[in-house]
Amino acid sequence: MDQLLMIPGPTGVSQRVLKAMLKNIVNHRGEEFGKILEETSEIMSKIFKTKNESYILTGSGTAAMEAALANILEEGDKILNIVNGKFGERFMQITTTFGGNSIPLKFEWGKAADIEKIKETLEENEDIKAVTVVHNETSTGVKNPIKEIGKILNNHEALYIVDAVSSLGGDKVEVDNYGIDICITGSQKCLAAPPGLSAITLSDEAWDVVESTDSKTYYLDLKKYRESKSLKPPETPYTPSVSLIYALNEALKVVEEEGLENRIKRHKMAAIATRKAVKALGLEIFPDEEVSSNTVTAIHLPKGTSDKEFRGLIRKKYGVELAGGQDHLKGKIFRIGHMGNVTQRELTVTISAIELALKELGFDIELGKGVSKILEVFSS
Amino acid sequence: MDQLLMIPGPTGVSQRVLKAMLKNIVNHRGEEFGKILEETSEIMSKIFKTKNESYILTGSGTAAMEAALANILEEGDKILNIVNGKFGERFMQITTTFGGNSIPLKFEWGKAADIEKIKETLEENEDIKAVTVVHNETSTGVKNPIKEIGKILNNHEALYIVDAVSSLGGDKVEVDNYGIDICITGSQKCLAAPPGLSAITLSDEAWDVVESTDSKTYYLDLKKYRESKSLKPPETPYTPSVSLIYALNEALKVVEEEGLENRIKRHKMAAIATRKAVKALGLEIFPDEEVSSNTVTAIHLPKGTSDKEFRGLIRKKYGVELAGGQDHLKGKIFRIGHMGNVTQRELTVTISAIELALKELGFDIELGKGVSKILEVFSS
């Protein structure tokens, strides 16, 4: 078995999807590629649950975050950035980079965004142009209430921007139903394609703002993406990552074959199983459990161990790659990504590796106790 | 035989390089990937002929063009943009997008940039912060004199920015010798890797400017790339395109095995052979021949034919994909890309297809006359 990649993205990619990249490069402005691009965008819109078009960007999730803001911002515009983790902070930094006036609404890392506070802040700042929120905070394993935030925003002019990079395909995201104006995602998380692509979809209201705003970026100027995509055959403004689009196309077909609802259910079971398993081993979940993510579980490091020792042992001796904490959580938590293709098999391997490592580090562990929880959840 | 891709990028990728992408994704912040990233950057620096570090960006050539300008520009800075084709214009547009004061120095499409005019403009504008030039104008098949421009810039403070997207690996580019401060390239041209990655290298002088300038982009903030790459193991600031970096790594090894000088010589032979062959068929080269590119040949469309009819026939009946003209050259020229892995075999197929199409369209052609030129050049 190769090293098992259990980080919260990039995730392991199936041979079927990798093999799609063996097809040679074609003219990126020809009919054959136009069809693939169109089909990929269409399936992406279905997964976003939107009637609007989706655009595939040659760049990672951060490129899509940049595209979301740099196309709607005028100097000094107020942007409400909901921040309860690293990616929420990133939206704040991007806002500032492009001359926006960031109004950060910060919550403790590990807690979800508080609806009442958002409501208040919106009422105090009627001229807020857009609100950014990260649906699934990969850094803390917290899921933010994007449906409820959408309801509040129904009563406000502000555009609603949601980062669904590490949730789309693994948790419920209903762009049109939730009133999301700009939604972004990445190829390398729950969709289980290789990293390097991201996608973005915009509502008519968002397009109105984009069309009347000079893009603050050239590479990610969405007006150009829209224009190129309306050509016959559809194109991208600059050379796209042809091979990765082959792979994403195949990965999205896998999502369709599994069925989006089934896929989300599988992710949810993986999350429940992971939490039960690590708790059975005496470990402590980092975030509030009721807002814990479907796609990544953040866990306090076992008392008395260092991140290097704990994750190093699991990686080197037991062949499982876990993620550490980011920023001030470095050395305090570790994270298990259970997104993409993860089933009971990968979780069994992962939990067994954690059990053996804990035993070796001197913890009083009843071997198999964590693994049994994985099996119980998946047999239910 | 699959459709033969003879456009000026993306170019056909060998099975060896495509297969490198079958390797599964690894942790992009781990040791294994760090080694691959470091090695890829090191070979890239050798090909750039620079002692400085190279950085791999997850984005196409245009992303690297944007990175080159958006990291050095302050509002109102004068940038001399040498423009004699579509990509020279792009530098001008990027300059404006990021608040620069573009001083465009325009030359007719199909002619090279004039050294004397550049000298004059620099003398008239002592406060020019940077000069941009496109080495190989893919849109017109013209090669600009980057070595000579470098000599002039020795006497000026301005940073020297060179787009070597469609020349690096197929024509002489000596970053340090020519005094280039910022040089960029793409994965999908002469390096024959799949599209979706670009690379950038900066001199100490360029870094001084970058370090004292607030980046105008977040995704392409080069300070963050430098910082991440100095970590142990080396990283990228945001999730990179792991699979494409595997492919680029393999493609660069192919370049090293062939030897850069040999590779450039092969490209030069391909260019000479192509020009001789199309002239033997009565076709007319679009640019001044003495400044004609090593990697792409632009040719006037045969009189009385339309682009759609001519290239359509060659594509559909004879399986060769050629490029059309761009912007005002649409419907006036066609282009043969002879970059990357192109040898006498691909050129023979291409010219034979052109011969058959010309015959079918009623031109008085002696079949084999073009192909014989290809063979003559390659047997010499």
Side-chain angles (χ1 to χ4, degrees), chain B residues 81-331:
Chain B
N81 300 123
I82 299 171
V83 178
N84 55 345
K86 188 176 176 68
F87 294 89
E89 275 184 356
R90 186 164 292 176
F91 260 141
M92 192 175 81
Q93 290 157 353
I94 293 173
T95 299
T96 309
T97 297
F98 290 97
N101 177 8
S102 170
I103 315 276
L105 183 57
K106 295 189 179 183
F107 302 97
E108 198 182 322
W109 288 34
K111 310 273 182 211
D114 179 333
I115 293 290
E116 288 308 314
K117 290 266 168 61
I118 297 171
K119 220 175 190 166
E120 278 170 28
T121 313
L122 280 166
E123 277 157 14
E124 285 163 13
N125 297 273
E126 284 193 351
D127 53 345
I128 280 174
K129 186 166 191 173
V131 176
T132 68
V133 64
V134 176
H135 182 202
N136 190 74
E137 251 301 349
T138 324
S139 63
T140 62
V142 163
K143 174 203 304 220
N144 280 315
I146 55 168
K147 185 178 178 179
E148 291 71 20
I149 299 172
K151 278 186 194 154
I152 299 174
L153 279 167
N154 265 340
N155 308 320
H156 293 271
E157 285 278 301
L159 291 177
Y160 184 24
I161 303 177
V162 174
D163 169 340
V165 169
S166 65
S167 63
L168 194 82
D171 205 346
K172 226 171 147 180
V173 179
E174 301 188 355
V175 168
D176 290 353
N177 276 349
Y178 297 175
I180 298 171
D181 291 298
I182 305 182
C183 195
I184 62 162
T185 198
S187 53
Q188 81 283 16
K189 307 273 184 178
C190 305
L191 302 175
L197 295 178
S198 49
I200 189 164
T201 185
L202 295 89
S203 69
D204 292 343
E205 289 72 25
W207 274 120
D208 285 346
V209 176
V210 170
E211 293 290 352
S212 64
T213 306
D214 285 335
S215 172
K216 302 283 172 299
T217 123
Y218 187 89
Y219 184 58
L220 298 166
D221 183 341
L222 294 175
K223 285 190 277 293
K224 292 209 184 92
Y225 276 84
R226 191 187 212 187
E227 201 183 310
S228 302
K229 193 152 171 292
S230 71
L231 296 173
K232 309 245 170 274
E235 295 181 7
T236 53
Y238 319 116
T239 312
S241 192
V242 173
S243 307
L244 292 182
I245 291 178
Y246 294 157
L248 179 61
N249 183 280
E250 196 66 26
L252 297 185
K253 283 179 181 162
V254 172
V255 175
E256 287 206 307
E257 287 167 21
E258 182 176 15
L260 184 58
E261 303 314 311
N262 291 336
R263 193 177 183 89
I264 293 172
K265 203 172 143 195
R266 174 168 60 75
H267 278 82
K268 193 170 183 179
M269 281 174 82
I272 293 171
T274 302
R275 291 199 296 271
K276 286 197 171 175
V278 296
K279 286 195 295 182
L281 299 173
L283 299 176
E284 208 184 323
I285 307 291
F286 171 72
D288 285 351
E289 262 203 69
E290 65 272 23
V291 298
S292 187
S293 157
N294 250 13
T295 66
V296 51
T297 299
I299 303 153
H300 286 279
L301 273 171
K303 281 196 180 69
T305 65
S306 75
D307 179 60
K308 201 179 162 179
E309 164 181 64
F310 181 67
R311 284 198 302 129
L313 186 58
I314 292 172
R315 176 191 308 116
K316 283 172 197 159
K317 192 155 177 186
Y318 303 110
V320 178
E321 183 82 36
L322 301 176
Q326 294 177 296
D327 295 346
H328 69 268
L329 295 177
K330 210 168 252 186

Side-chain angles (χ1 to χ4, degrees), chain A residues 70-191:
Chain A
N71 282 276
I72 62 146
L73 262 182
E74 308 270 10
E75 183 84 23
D77 278 346
K78 275 192 190 170
I79 307 292
L80 176 60
N81 300 124
I82 298 170
V83 178
N84 55 344
K86 188 175 175 69
F87 294 90
E89 274 183 358
R90 185 165 292 177
F91 260 142
M92 193 177 81
Q93 291 157 353
I94 294 173
T95 299
T96 309
T97 298
F98 290 97
N101 176 9
S102 169
I103 316 276
L105 185 57
K106 294 189 180 182
F107 301 97
E108 197 183 324
W109 287 34
K111 309 272 181 210
D114 178 336
I115 293 292
E116 288 308 314
K117 289 267 169 58
I118 297 172
K119 218 175 192 169
E120 277 170 31
T121 313
L122 280 164
E123 277 159 14
E124 283 161 16
N125 296 273
E126 283 194 350
D127 52 347
I128 280 175
K129 188 166 190 174
V131 175
T132 68
V133 65
V134 176
H135 183 202
N136 190 74
E137 252 300 349
T138 324
S139 63
T140 62
V142 163
K143 174 203 304 219
N144 279 314
I146 57 170
K147 184 176 178 180
E148 291 70 20
I149 299 172
K151 278 186 194 154
I152 300 176
L153 279 165
N154 265 340
N155 308 320
H156 293 271
E157 285 278 300
L159 292 177
Y160 185 23
I161 303 177
V162 174
D163 168 340
V165 169
S166 64
S167 63
L168 194 81
D171 204 347
K172 226 171 150 183
V173 179
E174 300 189 357
V175 169
D176 290 353
N177 276 350
Y178 297 175
I180 298 171
D181 291 297
I182 304 183
C183 195
I184 62 162
T185 199
S187 53
Q188 81 283 17
K189 306 272 186 179
C190 306
L191 303 173

Side-chain angles (χ1 to χ4, degrees), chain B residues 6-11 138 166 188-189 295-296 323 335-339:
Chain B
M6 295 296 287
I7 64 176
T11 57
T138 324
S166 65
Q188 81 283 16
K189 307 273 184 178
T295 66
V296 51
R335 295 173 299 152
I336 304 175
H338 32 77
M339 46 177 80

Side-chain angles (χ1 to χ4, degrees), chain A residues 168-235:
Chain A
L168 194 81
D171 204 347
K172 226 171 150 183
V173 179
E174 300 189 357
V175 169
D176 290 353
N177 276 350
Y178 297 175
I180 298 171
D181 291 297
I182 304 183
C183 195
I184 62 162
T185 199
S187 53
Q188 81 283 17
K189 306 272 186 179
C190 306
L191 303 173
L197 295 177
S198 49
I200 190 165
T201 185
L202 295 90
S203 69
D204 291 344
E205 289 71 24
W207 274 119
D208 285 347
V209 177
V210 170
E211 292 290 352
S212 65
T213 306
D214 286 335
S215 173
K216 303 283 172 299
T217 122
Y218 187 89
Y219 183 59
L220 299 166
D221 182 342
L222 294 175
K223 287 190 276 295
K224 293 208 183 93
Y225 276 83
R226 190 186 212 186
E227 202 183 307
S228 301
K229 191 150 174 294
S230 72
L231 297 173
K232 309 239 169 279
E235 293 180 8

Side-chain angles (χ1 to χ4, degrees), chain A residues 5 7 9-13 15 18-19 21-28 58-60 62-63 66 90 93-94 97-98 188 194-196 215-220 237-244 321-322, chain B residues 5 7 9-13 15 18-19 21-28 58-60 62-63 66 90 93-94 97-98 188 194-196 215-220 237-244 321-322:
Chain A
L5 193 62
I7 64 175
T11 57
V13 175
Q15 281 295 311
L18 291 174
K19 278 183 183 152
M21 296 193 287
L22 285 181
K23 185 175 142 64
N24 218 319
I25 310 302
V26 294
N27 184 356
H28 59 301
T58 292
S60 67
T62 303
E66 173 159 321
R90 185 165 292 177
Q93 291 157 353
I94 294 173
T97 298
F98 290 97
Q188 81 283 17
S215 173
K216 303 283 172 299
T217 122
Y218 187 89
Y219 183 59
L220 299 166
Y238 319 115
T239 312
S241 194
V242 173
S243 307
L244 292 183
E321 183 81 37
L322 301 176
Chain B
L5 192 62
I7 64 176
T11 57
V13 175
Q15 280 294 310
L18 291 174
K19 278 181 185 153
M21 296 192 287
L22 285 181
K23 184 175 142 61
N24 218 319
I25 311 303
V26 292
N27 184 356
H28 60 300
T58 292
S60 68
T62 302
E66 173 159 321
R90 186 164 292 176
Q93 290 157 353
I94 293 173
T97 297
F98 290 97
Q188 81 283 16
S215 172
K216 302 283 172 299
T217 123
Y218 187 89
Y219 184 58
L220 298 166
Y238 319 116
T239 312
S241 192
V242 173
S243 307
L244 292 182
E321 183 82 36
L322 301 176

